[in-house]
Amino acid sequence: MARSDKRQMRLAAFLSGLGAHVQAWRHPASAPNSASSIATFIEAAQIAEAGKFDFGFIADSTFITKDSTPYFLSRLEPITALAAVAAATSRLGLAATMTTSFSEPFTTARQLASLDLISGGRAAWNAVTGALEGHARNHGGEKLYDHALRYRIADEYIQVVKGLWDSWEDDAFVRDKQSGHYADLNKMHTLNHKGEFFSVQGPLNIERSPQGRPVLFQAGASEAGRELAARQADAVFSGSVEDPVQAKAYYQDIKRRAVAHGRSAGDILIFPSITPVVGATEEDALRKHREVSELLDIDIAVKYLSRYFSFFDFSQFALDEPLPELGDIGKDSFKSTAEHYLRIAREQQLTLRQLALRAASPGLQFVGTAEQVADRLQALFEDQVVDGYILHSYLQPLGLREFVDQVVPILQDRGLVRREYEADTLRGNLGLGFPVNCHCSSEHH
Amino acid sequence: MARSDKRQMRLAAFLSGLGAHVQAWRHPASAPNSASSIATFIEAAQIAEAGKFDFGFIADSTFITKDSTPYFLSRLEPITALAAVAAATSRLGLAATMTTSFSEPFTTARQLASLDLISGGRAAWNAVTGALEGHARNHGGEKLYDHALRYRIADEYIQVVKGLWDSWEDDAFVRDKQSGHYADLNKMHTLNHKGEFFSVQGPLNIERSPQGRPVLFQAGASEAGRELAARQADAVFSGSVEDPVQAKAYYQDIKRRAVAHGRSAGDILIFPSITPVVGATEEDALRKHREVSELLDIDIAVKYLSRYFSFFDFSQFALDEPLPELGDIGKDSFKSTAEHYLRIAREQQLTLRQLALRAASPGLQFVGTAEQVADRLQALFEDQVVDGYILHSYLQPLGLREFVDQVVPILQDRGLVRREYEADTLRGNLGLGFPVNCHCSSEHH
């Protein structure tokens, strides 16, 4: 599991496919129920595995209203979907989004450890705090906790989950038929956590999983999110790399914070999401991009935008006039994304139409020939703006297939990505260390 | 999906195998990690599917201590395990045990609906209330609610889950690429549940699943449990059929209660668990049974017994003297099972050793040749003591394989069980009706 000397570009893919935007399902080549059909999840996972990707990822969110855009209305639940994908793949990492705000840490720890056992060490957890009022109303509450409090809860929640994952030492289960010795109970540890938000006794009723602990992802962009990620996460989903200067500042900030917490810069990997469109020629790629873009209606794009502001009513503004000053709407919702949109609207004097289309559909950054796309991926990677990429398939799963068929071989020829998996586990393939059990005394390791 | 005219015997199997008792893992033919290895779950499921069984079942419980017996210490979480099994099977029903005491109804509804979509309509939920103090301590609590309150909570919880499963009408998702019509939002319904224990807004962000609602199992044996089952469940896991007179009284009681709640007697199916051991001759079967029974140590059998009484310390009593009067210990734990054991100990003047062995290992009721076992299954079925059986594999998964290879063909020849699945869904195969969406006005159906 030793990391290879050369820094390697990481690749990952969204398995549940929105496509390039919320109406991409209308394209003839799109699977129209790609959010709720396990067959398309498995197809995407198998393509990603053929491309030797590090992991497949399932985003999540549970609150819907009549203003929700198509993709959100019906989708498979991530951990169940990934358990099914696990049975149909063998090396691809499997990252499930699960909330820290409306669930029991014991159950989350157990389901993720179970996925790690089922998949032979390929589970990852994207811990999210939930960003819409309606999330709380689906779970017995009235109001969402404010942003800062959600992150304090998340921090303790993740500590509890990690502690539960260490309930058993790695070699506790003997299962010796001859002697009848099943498990060494001295290697079972009771957590007895009593914190500010959670009280959890333990131990977890599942042996330590192949990765020791499933890989932890976070999508920290706000101050609280960055701190949480730097302290606890193995990898971070960042936003776009549209603005490479800003993206590099983010990259350096996260690495710096990790180091400040006593970790090494390589202990945390940074993955922005991208939506590549590959064509035989640049014109061909632009044509494909345009063909999909034309399927997006402006009213749906506005609805998509409004979700980041807790379904704020943007329809009160004219489509083709610059947006007025909107204060800090969205501050307790998708805080950083909302702030980002308000800032670019202000700085670039965007109209509502321009902002909505920008939010709802991918730009031209990774549209081009396979060589052009590879060049851009390489440049950002080598400039240490990113450690890797997580791919949206502009048409699910066609975009992913085109990328794997056409771009991956170029990246392989350049020695940027693997030709074969180095390890059996996601942690091994990502070059992350095996986490020492927090309950073990040092002589065990 | 019409029920065939002739009443059909139902068969099901435990997929996660304890074996005949908690030390059966020591047998050379046993998979020693059958509680935590997805490969053995899948193998058992594929054997059951080859035998045209109705469903595979995963029991569950989360609290462990140093007094727990081997099987409980490390086990896969049911819904993740069944999602993986779903990907490796095509017709077998998949029943997951999930608690109503320490979880969010929104998440439970969603994970089960997701399993139903993933499996193409094969999901079932065994709703349990949790019976050990330690369960509460793993989930933020100190004390377990008393038995009656747990059942009141369960009743409301199940209502919420059923309501959430009806968030979308069956034909709400159009996904018409031409018109761009993705979903009919008039067919989306918000639950707005505000009850005594739960407040859940909805709607669920998942389309109505292939079964409308996953099949609901309950294991009601106490008064509260029987009422809950009769009102809400599609099927009941009963205890043993060791005493056929008592088992028949139970059967009639549940059917009578269901009818009293306005349901038909056929709307609820009753499944006791059995542990068959099939041999070439009766002597051969008895030898196999003895060979496994001899692996059980008395101290582990006593530990197994004590779990039903919240780990009551039985070691204070002599092994070979009749048990003293023990009052109502266990009343807030596994209430009915505890009462059952105390009653037979009293009535039959059992010693601790006799009671522990009786609790921890199966009797001789279904030990014999394939013909003998088939005869006994048939007699109880035709006498309306049961609607079917759920099989423990005395050695996992060998016992199940022997049963499918040797007993199932006899039952098929007698016209008691199917030769081919009648339907794609579990509900269809069980002959249960398709549940009408509670939010639909009658003109929709």
Side-chain angles (χ1 to χ4, degrees):
Chain A
M1 275 194 274
R3 188 177 308 214
S4 83
D5 289 347
K6 191 163 179 304
R7 185 168 161 258
Q8 196 176 52
M9 184 191 295
R10 309 289 162 191
L11 293 175
F14 282 84
L15 300 184
S16 69
L18 167 66
H21 57 71
V22 288
Q23 282 177 303
W25 65 273
R26 293 189 63 183
H27 192 280
S30 253
N33 60 347
S34 62
S36 59
S37 155
I38 192 67
T40 68
F41 284 55
I42 288 175
E43 187 181 357
Q46 290 175 338
I47 296 167
E49 192 165 79
K52 313 297 176 196
F53 278 35
D54 290 285
F55 62 92
F57 170 62
I58 302 184
D60 199 38
S61 168
T62 58
F63 173 65
I64 55 171
T65 78
K66 291 199 194 285
D67 287 325
S68 296
T69 47
Y71 174 73
F72 296 101
L73 297 174
S74 174
R75 59 205 300 193
L76 297 180
E77 185 278 335
I79 194 104
T80 45
L82 288 176
V85 171
T89 53
S90 64
R91 304 300 280 279
L92 187 72
L94 306 165
T97 300
M98 297 180 87
T99 180
T100 55
S101 291
F102 313 107
S103 59
E104 290 286 324
F106 191 92
T107 305
T108 298
R110 190 172 175 228
Q111 292 190 330
L112 285 161
S114 188
L115 180 64
D116 206 39
L117 272 162
I118 287 168
S119 63
R122 300 186 281 134
W125 173 29
N126 176 35
V128 298
T129 65
L132 296 171
E133 288 285 343
H135 286 145
R137 294 195 297 272
N138 283 336
H139 296 277
E142 284 300 320
K143 294 271 298 171
L144 199 63
Y145 296 124
D146 71 44
H147 188 271
L149 180 56
R150 292 205 303 274
Y151 273 86
R152 272 175 53 217
I153 293 171
D155 202 37
E156 185 181 328
Y157 190 112
I158 293 168
Q159 281 176 39
V160 171
V161 168
K162 287 183 173 177
L164 287 170
W165 283 336
D166 291 351
S167 292
W168 292 91
E169 297 181 30
D170 298 302
D171 55 354
F173 283 84
V174 182
R175 298 192 178 102
D176 181 54
K177 288 186 175 187
Q178 216 51 44
S179 65
H181 189 198
Y182 191 83
D184 185 346
L185 295 174
N186 293 318
K187 296 183 175 177
M188 171 176 118
H189 301 281
T190 304
L191 185 64
N192 286 324
H193 176 90
K194 281 191 195 296
E196 187 178 354
F197 306 106
F198 299 102
S199 161
V200 179
Q201 180 182 270
L204 202 63
N205 59 333
I206 194 162
E207 62 208 78
R208 203 156 192 252
S209 68
Q211 294 188 105
R213 300 175 187 162
V215 173
L216 179 65
F217 292 115
Q218 229 278 313
S222 63
E223 174 64 27
R226 289 176 192 219
E227 268 303 295
L228 176 64
R231 225 177 14 251
Q232 303 243 36
D234 301 304
V236 177
F237 296 131
S238 59
S240 80
V241 280
E242 218 175 292
D243 179 341
V245 174
Q246 207 174 4
K248 182 160 187 163
Y250 176 82
Y251 183 95
Q252 291 173 331
D253 180 58
I254 294 288
K255 302 273 178 171
R256 186 188 54 70
R257 288 176 194 249
V259 170
H261 287 293
R263 307 176 65 195
S264 105
D267 286 347
I268 185 162
L269 302 172
I270 296 174
F271 290 85
S273 61
I274 62 169
T275 310
V277 182
V278 183
T281 61
E282 191 171 1
E283 293 66 39
D284 182 45
L286 288 165
R287 180 193 56 74
K288 288 162 99 172
H289 179 268
R290 197 167 52 243
E291 204 177 283
V292 179
S293 298
E294 282 167 357
L295 292 170
L296 182 62
D297 295 323
I298 183 62
D299 57 325
I300 303 226
V302 172
K303 279 189 180 179
Y304 181 82
L305 175 70
S306 76
R307 182 171 170 278
Y308 290 102
F309 299 86
S310 264
F311 298 98
F312 177 81
D313 181 19
F314 282 99
S315 70
Q316 61 192 292
F317 306 121
L319 271 173
D320 295 305
E321 285 170 24
L323 274 170
E325 176 59 43
L326 290 168
D328 60 359
I329 60 165
K331 77 173 161 36
D332 278 326
S333 183
F334 293 90
K335 182 177 166 71
S336 322
T337 308
E339 283 172 0
H340 169 73
Y341 287 139
L342 292 181
R343 188 176 58 246
I344 62 170
R346 196 169 50 235
E347 288 174 2
Q348 303 173 30
Q349 286 285 298
L350 298 181
T351 64
L352 175 57
R353 184 191 304 273
Q354 289 167 329
L355 181 64
L357 292 176
R358 184 85 75 90
S361 61
L364 297 170
Q365 194 173 13
F366 298 98
V367 179
T369 64
E371 289 282 344
Q372 288 174 323
V373 171
D375 289 348
R376 291 170 205 165
L377 296 176
Q378 180 172 4
L380 292 168
F381 172 69
E382 290 185 341
D383 194 26
Q384 305 217 15
V385 177
V386 305
D387 290 311
Y389 302 92
I390 170 159
L391 271 74
H392 277 290
S393 200
Y394 77 104
L395 296 174
Q396 186 79 357
L398 182 71
L400 181 58
R401 191 183 297 281
E402 290 175 344
F403 184 90
V404 166
D405 288 347
Q406 298 170 46
V407 181
V408 168
I410 297 170
L411 298 173
Q412 285 173 335
D413 287 346
R414 296 181 187 175
L416 291 164
V417 300
R418 68 169 65 85
R419 290 183 189 276
E420 283 305 332
Y421 287 104
E422 301 86 22
D424 291 331
T425 66
L426 172 59
R427 200 170 273 284
N429 282 315
L430 288 177
L432 298 167
F434 187 84
V436 173
N437 190 312
C438 65
H439 299 293
C440 294
S441 58
S442 56
E443 52 269 36
H444 285 121
H445 281 263
Chain B
M1 273 194 275
R3 188 179 308 211
S4 83
D5 289 346
K6 193 162 179 303
R7 185 168 162 259
Q8 197 176 50
M9 185 192 293
R10 308 289 162 192
L11 293 175
F14 282 83
L15 299 184
S16 70
L18 166 67
H21 57 70
V22 288
Q23 282 177 304
W25 65 272
R26 293 188 64 184
H27 192 279
S30 252
N33 61 348
S34 62
S36 60
S37 154
I38 193 66
T40 67
F41 284 56
I42 289 174
E43 186 181 359
Q46 290 176 338
I47 296 167
E49 192 166 79
K52 313 299 176 193
F53 277 34
D54 290 285
F55 61 92
F57 170 63
I58 303 183
D60 199 37
S61 168
T62 57
F63 172 66
I64 55 172
T65 79
K66 292 201 194 283
D67 286 324
S68 297
T69 47
Y71 174 73
F72 296 100
L73 297 175
S74 174
R75 59 206 298 193
L76 297 180
E77 186 277 336
I79 195 104
T80 44
L82 288 176
V85 172
T89 53
S90 63
R91 305 300 280 278
L92 188 71
L94 306 165
T97 299
M98 297 180 87
T99 182
T100 55
S101 292
F102 313 108
S103 61
E104 290 286 323
F106 192 93
T107 305
T108 298
R110 190 172 175 230
Q111 292 190 330
L112 285 161
S114 188
L115 179 63
D116 207 38
L117 273 162
I118 288 168
S119 64
R122 299 186 281 135
W125 173 28
N126 176 36
V128 297
T129 65
L132 296 171
E133 289 284 343
H135 286 145
R137 294 195 297 272
N138 282 337
H139 296 277
E142 283 300 321
K143 293 271 299 170
L144 198 62
Y145 295 124
D146 72 45
H147 188 271
L149 180 57
R150 290 206 304 273
Y151 273 87
R152 273 174 53 215
I153 293 171
D155 201 37
E156 186 182 327
Y157 190 111
I158 292 168
Q159 281 176 40
V160 171
V161 168
K162 286 183 174 178
L164 287 170
W165 282 337
D166 291 352
S167 292
W168 293 91
E169 297 181 29
D170 298 302
D171 56 353
F173 284 83
V174 182
R175 299 192 177 102
D176 181 55
K177 289 186 174 186
Q178 216 51 45
S179 65
H181 189 199
Y182 191 82
D184 185 345
L185 295 173
N186 293 318
K187 296 183 176 178
M188 171 176 118
H189 301 283
T190 304
L191 185 64
N192 287 325
H193 175 90
K194 282 193 195 295
E196 189 178 353
F197 306 106
F198 299 101
S199 160
V200 179
Q201 180 181 270
L204 201 64
N205 60 332
I206 194 161
E207 61 208 80
R208 204 156 192 255
S209 68
Q211 295 189 104
R213 299 175 189 163
V215 173
L216 179 65
F217 292 114
Q218 229 276 315
S222 63
E223 173 64 28
R226 288 177 191 218
E227 269 303 294
L228 177 64
R231 228 178 10 252
Q232 303 242 38
D234 301 305
V236 177
F237 296 131
S238 58
S240 79
V241 280
E242 218 176 290
D243 179 342
V245 174
Q246 208 174 3
K248 183 162 186 160
Y250 176 82
Y251 183 95
Q252 290 174 331
D253 181 58
I254 294 288
K255 301 275 176 169
R256 187 187 55 70
R257 288 176 194 251
V259 170
H261 286 294
R263 307 174 66 194
S264 105
D267 286 349
I268 185 161
L269 303 172
I270 296 175
F271 289 85
S273 62
I274 62 169
T275 309
V277 182
V278 182
T281 60
E282 192 171 357
E283 292 66 41
D284 182 45
L286 288 166
R287 180 192 55 73
K288 289 161 99 172
H289 180 269
R290 197 168 50 243
E291 205 177 284
V292 179
S293 298
E294 283 167 357
L295 293 170
L296 182 61
D297 296 323
I298 183 61
D299 57 324
I300 302 226
V302 171
K303 278 189 180 178
Y304 181 82
L305 175 71
S306 77
R307 182 171 170 277
Y308 290 103
F309 299 86
S310 263
F311 298 98
F312 177 82
D313 180 18
F314 282 98
S315 71
Q316 61 191 291
F317 306 121
L319 270 174
D320 294 305
E321 286 171 24
L323 273 170
E325 176 58 43
L326 290 168
D328 60 357
I329 61 164
K331 77 174 161 39
D332 278 325
S333 183
F334 294 89
K335 181 178 167 69
S336 323
T337 307
E339 285 172 359
H340 168 74
Y341 287 137
L342 292 182
R343 190 177 57 247
I344 61 170
R346 196 168 51 235
E347 289 173 2
Q348 302 174 31
Q349 287 285 300
L350 298 180
T351 64
L352 175 57
R353 183 190 305 274
Q354 288 167 330
L355 181 65
L357 292 177
R358 183 85 75 89
S361 62
L364 297 169
Q365 193 173 15
F366 298 99
V367 179
T369 65
E371 288 283 343
Q372 287 175 323
V373 170
D375 289 348
R376 291 169 204 166
L377 297 176
Q378 181 171 2
L380 292 168
F381 171 69
E382 291 185 341
D383 193 26
Q384 306 217 15
V385 177
V386 306
D387 290 313
Y389 303 92
I390 171 159
L391 271 74
H392 277 290
S393 199
Y394 77 103
L395 296 173
Q396 187 79 355
L398 182 70
L400 181 58
R401 192 183 295 281
E402 290 175 344
F403 184 89
V404 166
D405 288 347
Q406 298 171 45
V407 181
V408 167
I410 297 170
L411 298 173
Q412 285 173 335
D413 287 346
R414 296 181 186 177
L416 290 164
V417 300
R418 68 169 65 85
R419 288 181 189 278
E420 281 307 331
Y421 287 104
E422 300 87 22
D424 291 332
T425 67
L426 173 59
R427 201 170 271 285
N429 282 315
L430 288 177
L432 298 167
F434 187 84
V436 173
N437 189 311
C438 66
H439 299 294
C440 293
S441 58
S442 55
E443 51 270 35
H444 284 123
H445 280 263

